[in-house]
mmCIF file of all heavy atoms in Angstrom:
data_model
loop_
_atom_site.group_PDB
_atom_site.id
_atom_site.type_symbol
_atom_site.label_atom_id
_atom_site.label_comp_id
_atom_site.label_asym_id
_atom_site.label_seq_id
_atom_site.Cartn_x
_atom_site.Cartn_y
_atom_site.Cartn_z
ATOM 1 N N PRO A 41 68.877 -32.824 -63.358
ATOM 2 C CA PRO A 41 67.607 -33.390 -63.848
ATOM 3 C C PRO A 41 66.806 -32.410 -64.707
ATOM 4 O O PRO A 41 66.133 -32.822 -65.660
ATOM 5 C CB PRO A 41 66.862 -33.748 -62.555
ATOM 6 C CG PRO A 41 67.929 -33.913 -61.526
ATOM 7 C CD PRO A 41 68.967 -32.888 -61.886
ATOM 8 N N TRP A 70 64.060 -20.339 -103.129
ATOM 9 C CA TRP A 70 65.461 -20.514 -102.776
ATOM 10 C C TRP A 70 65.600 -21.751 -101.894
ATOM 11 O O TRP A 70 64.650 -22.170 -101.241
ATOM 12 C CB TRP A 70 65.988 -19.277 -102.040
ATOM 13 C CG TRP A 70 65.918 -18.020 -102.865
ATOM 14 C CD1 TRP A 70 66.336 -17.873 -104.154
ATOM 15 C CD2 TRP A 70 65.381 -16.750 -102.483
ATOM 16 N NE1 TRP A 70 66.110 -16.578 -104.589
ATOM 17 C CE2 TRP A 70 65.523 -15.873 -103.581
ATOM 18 C CE3 TRP A 70 64.811 -16.266 -101.311
ATOM 19 C CZ2 TRP A 70 65.111 -14.549 -103.546
ATOM 20 C CZ3 TRP A 70 64.391 -14.942 -101.273
ATOM 21 C CH2 TRP A 70 64.540 -14.092 -102.375
ATOM 22 N N PRO A 72 67.333 -23.368 -98.722
ATOM 23 C CA PRO A 72 68.085 -23.022 -97.509
ATOM 24 C C PRO A 72 68.721 -24.247 -96.851
ATOM 25 O O PRO A 72 68.404 -25.399 -97.166
ATOM 26 C CB PRO A 72 66.996 -22.448 -96.608
ATOM 27 C CG PRO A 72 65.787 -23.278 -96.956
ATOM 28 C CD PRO A 72 65.909 -23.585 -98.441
ATOM 29 N N TYR A 77 74.001 -23.038 -83.702
ATOM 30 C CA TYR A 77 75.340 -22.721 -83.204
ATOM 31 C C TYR A 77 75.227 -21.783 -82.015
ATOM 32 O O TYR A 77 74.425 -20.850 -82.026
ATOM 33 C CB TYR A 77 76.148 -22.073 -84.322
ATOM 34 C CG TYR A 77 77.544 -21.647 -83.951
ATOM 35 C CD1 TYR A 77 78.524 -22.582 -83.668
ATOM 36 C CD2 TYR A 77 77.886 -20.302 -83.900
ATOM 37 C CE1 TYR A 77 79.817 -22.197 -83.334
ATOM 38 C CE2 TYR A 77 79.173 -19.898 -83.570
ATOM 39 C CZ TYR A 77 80.139 -20.851 -83.289
ATOM 40 O OH TYR A 77 81.414 -20.471 -82.958
ATOM 41 N N ALA A 87 70.259 -15.719 -102.051
ATOM 42 C CA ALA A 87 69.158 -15.052 -102.754
ATOM 43 C C ALA A 87 69.601 -14.656 -104.160
ATOM 44 O O ALA A 87 70.703 -14.145 -104.348
ATOM 45 C CB ALA A 87 68.714 -13.812 -101.980
ATOM 46 N N LEU A 97 59.028 -11.017 -94.630
ATOM 47 C CA LEU A 97 58.293 -12.248 -94.337
ATOM 48 C C LEU A 97 59.227 -13.335 -93.818
ATOM 49 O O LEU A 97 58.883 -14.074 -92.890
ATOM 50 C CB LEU A 97 57.561 -12.726 -95.595
ATOM 51 C CG LEU A 97 56.405 -11.845 -96.060
ATOM 52 C CD1 LEU A 97 55.877 -12.325 -97.412
ATOM 53 C CD2 LEU A 97 55.277 -11.851 -95.030
ATOM 54 N N CYS A 108 53.611 -20.262 -82.772
ATOM 55 C CA CYS A 108 52.666 -21.334 -83.120
ATOM 56 C C CYS A 108 52.905 -22.572 -82.258
ATOM 57 O O CYS A 108 51.950 -23.240 -81.836
ATOM 58 C CB CYS A 108 52.789 -21.692 -84.600
ATOM 59 S SG CYS A 108 52.120 -20.434 -85.722
ATOM 60 N N ALA A 111 51.445 -21.801 -78.969
ATOM 61 C CA ALA A 111 49.985 -21.870 -79.061
ATOM 62 C C ALA A 111 49.508 -23.318 -79.042
ATOM 63 O O ALA A 111 48.476 -23.634 -78.432
ATOM 64 C CB ALA A 111 49.507 -21.174 -80.330
ATOM 65 N N LYS A 142 50.730 -32.972 -61.381
ATOM 66 C CA LYS A 142 51.293 -33.772 -60.296
ATOM 67 C C LYS A 142 52.715 -34.198 -60.630
ATOM 68 O O LYS A 142 53.524 -34.413 -59.744
ATOM 69 C CB LYS A 142 50.412 -34.999 -60.043
ATOM 70 C CG LYS A 142 49.031 -34.660 -59.493
ATOM 71 C CD LYS A 142 48.222 -35.904 -59.228
ATOM 72 C CE LYS A 142 46.856 -35.549 -58.669
ATOM 73 N NZ LYS A 142 46.022 -36.759 -58.415
ATOM 74 N N LEU A 149 58.567 -29.190 -68.393
ATOM 75 C CA LEU A 149 58.493 -29.241 -69.851
ATOM 76 C C LEU A 149 57.588 -28.134 -70.388
ATOM 77 O O LEU A 149 57.959 -27.411 -71.326
ATOM 78 C CB LEU A 149 57.972 -30.611 -70.303
ATOM 79 C CG LEU A 149 57.758 -30.799 -71.805
ATOM 80 C CD1 LEU A 149 59.073 -30.680 -72.566
ATOM 81 C CD2 LEU A 149 57.087 -32.134 -72.097
ATOM 82 N N ASP A 151 56.620 -25.315 -68.801
ATOM 83 C CA ASP A 151 57.176 -23.999 -68.485
ATOM 84 C C ASP A 151 58.315 -23.638 -69.436
ATOM 85 O O ASP A 151 58.396 -22.501 -69.926
ATOM 86 C CB ASP A 151 57.679 -23.968 -67.046
ATOM 87 C CG ASP A 151 56.551 -23.948 -66.028
ATOM 88 O OD1 ASP A 151 55.413 -23.625 -66.419
ATOM 89 O OD2 ASP A 151 56.816 -24.263 -64.845
ATOM 90 N N VAL A 156 60.684 -20.380 -73.663
ATOM 91 C CA VAL A 156 61.597 -20.260 -74.803
ATOM 92 C C VAL A 156 60.868 -19.732 -76.032
ATOM 93 O O VAL A 156 61.368 -18.838 -76.731
ATOM 94 C CB VAL A 156 62.269 -21.616 -75.109
ATOM 95 C CG1 VAL A 156 63.067 -21.541 -76.411
ATOM 96 C CG2 VAL A 156 63.187 -22.024 -73.959
ATOM 97 N N LEU A 162 59.788 -12.967 -78.417
ATOM 98 C CA LEU A 162 59.601 -11.521 -78.287
ATOM 99 C C LEU A 162 60.934 -10.784 -78.304
ATOM 100 O O LEU A 162 61.063 -9.718 -78.921
ATOM 101 C CB LEU A 162 58.839 -11.214 -76.996
ATOM 102 C CG LEU A 162 57.372 -11.675 -76.955
ATOM 103 C CD1 LEU A 162 56.779 -11.455 -75.570
ATOM 104 C CD2 LEU A 162 56.549 -10.943 -78.008
ATOM 105 N N LEU A 165 62.260 -10.303 -81.722
ATOM 106 C CA LEU A 165 61.575 -9.307 -82.550
ATOM 107 C C LEU A 165 62.014 -7.875 -82.240
ATOM 108 O O LEU A 165 61.583 -6.942 -82.924
ATOM 109 C CB LEU A 165 60.054 -9.416 -82.367
ATOM 110 C CG LEU A 165 59.398 -10.622 -83.048
ATOM 111 C CD1 LEU A 165 57.930 -10.709 -82.685
ATOM 112 C CD2 LEU A 165 59.563 -10.542 -84.569
ATOM 113 N N VAL A 186 63.081 4.587 -97.605
ATOM 114 C CA VAL A 186 63.642 5.554 -96.653
ATOM 115 C C VAL A 186 65.114 5.762 -96.987
ATOM 116 O O VAL A 186 65.864 4.780 -97.110
ATOM 117 C CB VAL A 186 63.486 5.053 -95.210
ATOM 118 C CG1 VAL A 186 64.231 5.948 -94.230
ATOM 119 C CG2 VAL A 186 62.008 4.978 -94.839
ATOM 120 N N ARG A 211 66.390 -3.499 -63.674
ATOM 121 C CA ARG A 211 65.088 -4.031 -63.275
ATOM 122 C C ARG A 211 65.045 -5.549 -63.159
ATOM 123 O O ARG A 211 64.326 -6.080 -62.320
ATOM 124 C CB ARG A 211 64.027 -3.568 -64.282
ATOM 125 C CG ARG A 211 63.866 -2.057 -64.371
ATOM 126 C CD ARG A 211 63.342 -1.473 -63.058
ATOM 127 N NE ARG A 211 62.034 -2.001 -62.733
ATOM 128 C CZ ARG A 211 60.902 -1.494 -63.178
ATOM 129 N NH1 ARG A 211 60.909 -0.427 -63.962
ATOM 130 N NH2 ARG A 211 59.740 -2.037 -62.828
ATOM 131 N N HIS A 213 67.977 -7.571 -63.046
ATOM 132 C CA HIS A 213 69.202 -8.104 -62.434
ATOM 133 C C HIS A 213 69.727 -9.310 -63.215
ATOM 134 O O HIS A 213 70.222 -10.272 -62.626
ATOM 135 C CB HIS A 213 68.957 -8.470 -60.961
ATOM 136 C CG HIS A 213 68.373 -7.355 -60.162
ATOM 137 N ND1 HIS A 213 69.081 -6.198 -59.875
ATOM 138 C CD2 HIS A 213 67.130 -7.187 -59.615
ATOM 139 C CE1 HIS A 213 68.312 -5.383 -59.166
ATOM 140 N NE2 HIS A 213 67.126 -5.956 -58.996
ATOM 141 N N ALA A 218 72.071 -8.491 -70.064
ATOM 142 C CA ALA A 218 72.698 -7.175 -70.223
ATOM 143 C C ALA A 218 73.978 -7.271 -71.039
ATOM 144 O O ALA A 218 74.233 -6.442 -71.926
ATOM 145 C CB ALA A 218 72.996 -6.579 -68.849
ATOM 146 N N ALA A 219 74.794 -8.291 -70.756
ATOM 147 C CA ALA A 219 76.037 -8.464 -71.503
ATOM 148 C C ALA A 219 75.764 -8.771 -72.969
ATOM 149 O O ALA A 219 76.450 -8.252 -73.864
ATOM 150 C CB ALA A 219 76.865 -9.580 -70.876
ATOM 151 N N SER A 236 79.981 3.443 -92.807
ATOM 152 C CA SER A 236 80.285 4.842 -93.061
ATOM 153 C C SER A 236 81.665 5.023 -93.682
ATOM 154 O O SER A 236 81.866 5.872 -94.552
ATOM 155 C CB SER A 236 80.197 5.640 -91.749
ATOM 156 O OG SER A 236 78.907 5.558 -91.195
#
Side-chain angles (χ1 to χ4, degrees):
W70 299 312
Y77 178 68
L97 292 173
C108 288
K142 293 182 179 179
L149 177 63
D151 288 342
V156 172
L162 292 174
L165 286 174
V186 172
R211 299 295 298 274
H213 307 292
S236 300

